[in-house]
Amino acid sequence: MNEENNEQLEDKVIEETEVENVKKEEKVKTKELEDLNDRYKRLFAEFENYKKRTQKESLTKRAEITGDVVSSILPVMDNLEKAAEVQTEDKNYQEGIKLVVKQFADVLGKFGMTEIETIGHKFDPELHEAVSHIEDPSKSEGEIVQEYRKGYKIGNKVVRHSMVIVAN
């Protein structure tokens, strides 16, 4: 009986040791899983930030390129507008020029290009370039009274400043 008790005691000790080993192994595996899960979450967050950053850079680059291309075309638009203002006896010709100007403006509008508002608005050095000042008591301080050259912007980015005359 003593021998049997000893065997049972040994079996119990071995079983307890195995249970402890399994628990230790389980803790190690749980820790490894938590570490891997943490690494996964960090990597996923970094990837999401990378996607957002590259998308923003792509949009910024596209706007810059569009602005550069459009700014090189603006002198053509200026000349078309001047041609449309010239008085001629051939009204069909004048209407044709006006239609081309409108079509050109529509195409630029598709790229997000808008005219900068000037006459009657307050002078803003971010949008306007003052080429002259006049004294006019009927106008408020810094009010734009005349536009020499139209200015344009794409979104919030100024492509070309408006050249204006400002009242003092």
Side-chain angles (χ1 to χ4, degrees), residues 70-84:
V70 168
S71 67
S72 67
I73 295 173
L74 287 178
V76 176
M77 180 69 160
D78 293 339
N79 290 332
L80 282 171
E81 287 175 340
K82 287 177 186 173

Side-chain angles (χ1 to χ4, degrees), residues 8 16 27-28 41 53-55 58-59 65 73 83 94 102 110 120 123:
Q8 285 178 348
E16 287 176 0
K27 284 182 181 179
V28 168
K41 286 178 182 177
R53 186 175 60 251
T54 55
Q55 184 178 22
S58 175
L59 291 174
I65 291 169
I73 295 173
Q94 193 172 20
K102 183 184 177 334
K110 287 180 183 176
F123 176 77

Side-chain angles (χ1 to χ4, degrees), residues 38-65:
D38 185 54
R39 285 177 53 200
Y40 165 76
K41 286 178 182 177
R42 289 176 190 274
L43 185 61
F44 185 77
E46 284 180 33
F47 179 69
E48 287 297 316
N49 290 337
Y50 170 77
K51 280 188 352 185
K52 289 175 187 174
R53 186 175 60 251
T54 55
Q55 184 178 22
K56 184 179 177 183
E57 288 171 358
S58 175
L59 291 174
T60 301
K61 195 56 141 174
R62 181 173 186 240
E64 286 176 13
I65 291 169

Side-chain angles (χ1 to χ4, degrees), residues 12-122:
K12 190 175 181 183
V13 168
I14 290 174
E15 194 176 295
E16 287 176 0
T17 305
E18 287 177 358
V19 168
E20 286 177 23
N21 287 341
V22 167
K23 285 182 180 180
K24 286 179 185 177
E25 196 174 312
E26 183 181 342
K27 284 182 181 179
V28 168
K29 295 294 182 189
T30 302
K31 178 70 174 140
E32 286 177 8
L33 180 62
E34 288 172 355
D35 289 346
L36 286 173
N37 193 28
D38 185 54
R39 285 177 53 200
Y40 165 76
K41 286 178 182 177
R42 289 176 190 274
L43 185 61
F44 185 77
E46 284 180 33
F47 179 69
E48 287 297 316
N49 290 337
Y50 170 77
K51 280 188 352 185
K52 289 175 187 174
R53 186 175 60 251
T54 55
Q55 184 178 22
K56 184 179 177 183
E57 288 171 358
S58 175
L59 291 174
T60 301
K61 195 56 141 174
R62 181 173 186 240
E64 286 176 13
I65 291 169
T66 302
D68 291 345
V69 169
V70 168
S71 67
S72 67
I73 295 173
L74 287 178
V76 176
M77 180 69 160
D78 293 339
N79 290 332
L80 282 171
E81 287 175 340
K82 287 177 186 173
E85 292 173 4
V86 171
Q87 295 300 320
T88 180
E89 290 183 24
D90 189 352
K91 296 300 177 191
N92 289 334
Y93 174 78
Q94 193 172 20
E95 284 300 311
I97 294 292
K98 287 180 181 177
L99 286 173
V100 171
V101 169
K102 183 184 177 334
Q103 184 181 23
F104 204 140
D106 290 345
V107 168
L108 293 177
K110 287 180 183 176
F111 288 100
M113 176 93 80
T114 56
E115 288 183 17
I116 296 173
E117 295 179 352
T118 55
I119 298 175
H121 289 84
K122 186 105 173 119

